[in-house]
Amino acid sequence: MLSIIFRARQSQTRSFMSNNANVGSASVAAAITEKLTSAFTPTHLEVRNESHMHNVPTGSETHFKVIVISDKFKETRNSLARHRLVNEILKEEIAADGPVHALSIVAMTPDKWKEKLDNGETIGASPNCRGGDGSLPKRN
């Protein structure tokens, strides 16, 4: 059974601005969810919009954490290889002209995920922004 969880603050809109026509006007989170689901057939997928924790305008979709649990990761030896697979699938979103500024990835096999859950471990939110380099537009 597949479980998909999308987390976003209630006040956030589902729009973004991008020069990348391939990403389109749908929500960035929806595009990420669709691509990861199609590529990995995950048993568990969370796409967390963590933009609200950063110095970006309200409603932005620029900072994400994805948790992808899939049997397809059994073929990879380490977490770096799994991250590269996810990055390749989301290359349009994370490109220099794409809508995603930051992407945190947790990619595991179902066995490792179950072990983590059985041990009472969770995947917490990323740390709050510490100011960045000032290159993003200021919060409204």
Side-chain angles (χ1 to χ4, degrees):
M1 176 180 15
L2 167 65
S3 60
I4 296 178
I5 300 170
F6 172 73
R7 293 185 182 182
R9 290 179 57 171
Q10 291 288 344
S11 63
Q12 292 179 332
T13 61
R14 303 286 194 262
S15 61
F16 68 94
M17 296 179 65
S18 172
N19 294 328
N20 191 334
N22 293 329
V23 176
S25 61
S27 96
V28 178
I32 291 171
T33 300
E34 180 181 324
K35 287 182 175 189
L36 294 177
T37 300
S38 176
F40 299 111
T41 317
T43 56
H44 179 85
L45 174 63
E46 291 184 42
V47 177
R48 298 179 183 177
N49 182 352
E50 296 184 332
S51 302
H52 64 278
M53 299 163 52
H54 300 275
N55 189 23
V56 296
T58 301
S60 294
E61 289 190 314
T62 55
H63 296 70
F64 287 90
K65 175 177 278 189
V66 295
I67 302 170
V68 186
I69 311 304
S70 174
D71 282 321
K72 292 193 177 182
F73 294 135
K74 289 180 178 179
E75 302 165 10
T76 58
R77 290 189 169 158
N78 58 46
S79 63
L80 180 58
R82 293 187 293 272
H83 285 215
R84 286 179 176 154
L85 290 172
V86 171
N87 283 328
E88 178 61 25
I89 298 303
L90 300 178
K91 63 185 172 190
E92 291 177 1
E93 287 76 13
I94 62 175
D97 63 344
V100 176
H101 172 76
L103 179 66
S104 173
I105 301 168
V106 176
M108 298 178 175
T109 64
D111 292 340
K112 286 290 185 187
W113 179 246
K114 183 180 181 321
E115 180 182 318
K116 189 172 198 59
L117 295 178
D118 288 348
N119 289 332
E121 298 176 44
T122 62
I123 306 294
S126 298
N128 283 329
C129 180
R130 296 181 56 143
D133 65 4
S135 64
L136 294 174
K138 298 295 180 207
R139 193 181 296 255
N140 293 356

